[in-house]
Amino acid sequence: MRFVEINIEGVLISPFVPLMVLAFAITMGLRVIAAEFGWLRHVWHPALLEFSVFLIVLTATVLIFGNLRIYN
């Protein structure tokens, strides 16, 4: 797994930034689904759950996109 910087108009952006944006969007989608079904009412600390889900989704996106070799 090898990530290289993304060059946008001379500004180097970490390849981790788009993956974080994607993970955040997926997490917000999962949050809407969980709120719709009422699952967040049964959680002791909803913010902690959301952060944990974000980290899991971020890890999955890094592993998936790292193996696709699109950043080489």
Side-chain angles (χ1 to χ4, degrees):
M1 184 177 339
R2 183 173 160 252
F3 293 108
V4 295
E5 289 85 10
I6 301 166
N7 188 358
I8 298 177
E9 298 293 327
V11 177
L12 296 177
I13 297 178
S14 171
F16 199 63
V17 173
L19 295 178
M20 286 181 66
V21 171
L22 177 63
F24 182 74
I26 293 170
T27 303
M28 288 300 105
L30 291 174
R31 183 183 188 276
V32 168
I33 292 170
E36 185 69 29
F37 286 110
W39 296 336
L40 291 178
R41 288 183 287 139
H42 303 291
V43 177
W44 169 69
H45 201 298
L48 186 61
L49 175 73
E50 291 175 19
F51 181 67
S52 300
V53 169
F54 172 73
L55 289 181
I56 292 168
V57 171
L58 180 61
T59 302
T61 56
V62 167
L63 290 175
I64 289 169
F65 282 96
N67 289 331
L68 288 180
R69 307 268 185 221
I70 62 172
Y71 284 110
N72 291 339

